[in-house]
Amino acid sequence: MKKRHPETVAIHGGSEPEHKSGPLATPIFQTSTFGVEDNDEQRRVTHSDRFYTRYGNPTHTVAEKTIAELEGAEAALLFASGMGAITTTVLALVRAGDHIVAQADLYGGAMKFFSHWLPKFGVETSFVETTRAADFERVVRPNTRLMYLESPTNPTLKLVDLGRAVGIAKQHGLTTLIDNTFATPINQRPIEHGVDIVLHSATKYMAGHSDLIAGVAAGSRKLMEQVWETRTTLGGTMDPHAAFLLLRGLKTLVVRVERHNQNALRVAQFLEKHARVKRVNYPFLASHPQHALAVQQMSGGGGLLSFEVDGTAEETRRFTESLRMFALAPSLGGVDSLVTLPVVTSHAMVSPEERKQMGITEQLVRLAIGIENAEDLIADLEQALAVVAPAKEHAHAD
Ligand SMILES: *Cc1c(COP(=O)(O)O)cnc(C)c1O
């Protein structure tokens, strides 16, 4: 069959086209177990989606096939959360004595797993400055097994050069993994760059409505088989009802992401020109230090951006609390716009010195742009920015 476009895959992805009669929506197989005719059949179904839901479930299968096709992977697996997908997949691939290379900017939970949990089992990780992919080469050891990536990053929207990182990994026989949550398969398809496994917090854009927790891993059938074995043992499988909600979200993924991209670019351009804003981080702004790489490896900038208020820490807090349309809440990827201060959310546990090195100041604001009207979002930002006093040295320019 001709390769289908993502818009079509999102809607028809995992469902069987030959089934013309029957429900249009995928039924929720809200069951823990499945009955069989006899013990021969019992033996046959153990490795299927009709045995016991921790092993698999027909509602999962439809979502897994859809996501695999969107990512250009042979297979995908669902998990109870993004962290479930990350930890289970990594544990499936390493053993005591192994070494991992990872970039320095990672989702907080993943960073904690690599730096705190894996060492307890004799697995060490070396971290490399995210924007210097060539440096991965320097930390590779004879016992290095995995390269772990994430792009764009939270909250400063740095990118990792996928072609370069994968080139080094292939030369050293490493398995590459990427957390593709921020980009989604609509804006970035890492498997086409040679990445082996794509991970997602499907809680975010894939589900898209801030109403469930979900995770995904996608890759070759062989690797997913290994991950499946581990998932059935560790037990972080998704509930069938959550899989149904995820499928419902996936159907509109393409149109939502297109709107997130448009809105975020408009908001980024507005903020960049605003007198009370110092700096805007958004990959599709020409001012982004890796803009050339962004347009080369991504087809859209995504819905996340961050910026620095040209004011005090107190004014920055007041600004975030003065917004009417942006909810002050962590997370991202839903239809609603959200605002957070990384110093009180994702990076609250990081020391002030480390934060400074990462470019995370008291004035840094992160916006997760939703799919509302861009003019309305901009008007809300404009009224809230009025709480920031004009900088003295700028006053004459008004
Ligand atoms: C939210 C998030 C995770 C963790 O996912 P959960 O679904 O909350 O477990 C991992 N990576 C990124 C980039 C995220 O934004």
Side-chain angles (χ1 to χ4, degrees):
M1 193 168 65
K2 188 172 168 287
K3 200 162 161 268
R4 302 186 291 183
H5 294 90
E7 295 86 339
T8 308
V9 176
I11 289 161
H12 299 288
S15 46
E16 308 290 340
E18 63 271 25
H19 290 172
K20 290 225 166 131
S21 54
L24 212 56
T26 303
I28 312 171
F29 285 77
Q30 195 69 39
T31 183
S32 58
T33 191
F34 298 83
V36 288
E37 287 289 341
D38 53 39
N39 288 298
D40 284 340
E41 188 183 357
Q42 187 71 84
R43 244 187 293 275
R44 278 199 306 276
V45 297
T46 45
H47 205 136
S48 79
D49 59 0
R50 285 169 191 261
F51 172 58
Y52 182 69
T53 288
R54 177 156 45 75
Y55 287 58
N57 176 287
T59 312
H60 290 180
T61 302
V62 180
E64 288 171 344
K65 283 186 176 167
T66 304
I67 293 164
E69 195 172 341
L70 284 171
E71 286 289 3
E74 286 174 4
L77 289 167
L78 299 185
F79 295 85
S81 69
M83 281 310 300
I86 294 167
T87 56
T88 306
T89 302
V90 171
L91 286 171
L93 301 173
V94 292
R95 60 178 65 203
D98 283 347
H99 175 248
I100 298 171
V101 294
Q103 65 189 62
D105 299 87
L106 290 179
Y107 177 73
M111 180 52 96
K112 192 158 189 183
F113 178 62
F114 288 115
S115 57
H116 180 79
W117 290 93
L118 283 180
K120 293 191 191 190
F121 306 104
V123 177
E124 247 191 286
T125 303
S126 300
F127 298 96
V128 168
E129 159 56 36
T130 305
T131 57
R132 292 206 295 264
D135 287 5
F136 281 118
E137 183 105 59
R138 279 195 229 147
V139 298
V140 172
R141 304 176 188 168
N143 60 336
T144 307
R145 289 269 297 123
L146 307 182
M147 179 183 283
Y148 187 91
L149 311 171
E150 180 180 327
S151 187
T153 65
N154 182 43
T156 48
L157 288 301
K158 290 185 195 173
L159 307 184
V160 66
D161 186 329
L162 297 182
R164 192 136 205 202
V166 169
I168 294 165
K170 287 211 189 295
Q171 225 174 313
H172 295 274
L174 316 182
T175 302
T176 44
L177 299 88
I178 188 169
D179 182 334
N180 202 33
T181 301
F182 273 33
T184 80
I186 312 311
N187 286 333
Q188 177 168 279
R189 288 161 55 89
I191 287 175
E192 289 173 1
H193 295 268
V195 170
D196 296 304
I197 298 180
V198 179
L199 300 160
H200 280 274
S201 168
T203 309
K204 315 294 167 51
Y205 291 101
M206 283 197 173
H209 297 75
S210 307
D211 55 6
L212 71 141
I213 298 284
V216 177
S220 69
R221 212 159 269 122
K222 188 159 166 259
L223 284 169
M224 287 305 107
E225 184 69 21
Q226 245 175 294
V227 177
W228 178 84
E229 292 276 354
T230 313
R231 189 187 69 175
T232 60
T233 305
L234 298 185
T237 313
M238 187 185 284
D239 180 76
H241 187 257
F244 166 81
L245 287 172
L246 174 58
L247 265 169
R248 188 187 172 119
L250 283 171
K251 287 189 193 274
T252 56
L253 179 67
V254 182
V255 287
R256 281 187 289 108
V257 169
E258 283 170 3
R259 177 62 75 86
H260 284 294
N261 288 344
Q262 290 164 10
N263 278 359
L265 182 60
R266 297 255 325 259
V267 168
Q269 286 165 341
F270 159 78
L271 289 170
E272 195 167 44
K273 288 200 210 89
H274 200 285
R276 308 290 168 262
V277 172
K278 235 191 255 173
R279 186 169 55 90
V280 181
N281 305 310
Y282 186 66
F284 268 42
L285 279 181
S287 60
H288 189 282
Q290 295 170 290
H291 180 250
L293 177 64
V295 297
Q296 178 226 313
Q297 70 185 24
M298 299 173 75
S299 51
L304 261 290
L305 63 92
S306 62
F307 67 99
E308 241 178 340
V309 169
D310 193 2
T312 64
E314 175 54 29
E315 284 171 329
T316 307
R317 291 176 89 100
R318 276 188 23 232
F319 157 73
T320 61
E321 290 161 11
S322 305
L323 288 161
R324 296 183 189 129
M325 213 162 339
F326 290 77
L328 194 55
S331 198
L332 58 118
V335 292
D336 310 60
S337 290
L338 307 177
V339 58
T340 56
L341 286 176
V343 290
V344 294
T345 56
S346 57
H347 292 71
M349 312 295 269
V350 181
S351 73
E353 301 81 63
E354 277 181 286
R355 268 194 229 137
K356 206 171 158 198
Q357 270 186 354
M358 299 166 106
I360 297 160
T361 63
E362 306 263 351
Q363 283 82 5
L364 189 74
V365 176
R366 191 192 81 175
L367 300 179
I369 303 295
I371 63 168
E372 301 95 334
N373 179 285
E375 299 289 329
D376 293 342
L377 294 174
I378 288 169
D380 192 26
L381 290 162
E382 178 87 75
Q383 67 77 24
L385 277 165
V387 305
V388 184
K392 283 181 193 68
E393 59 273 30
H394 295 169
H396 69 273
D398 288 295

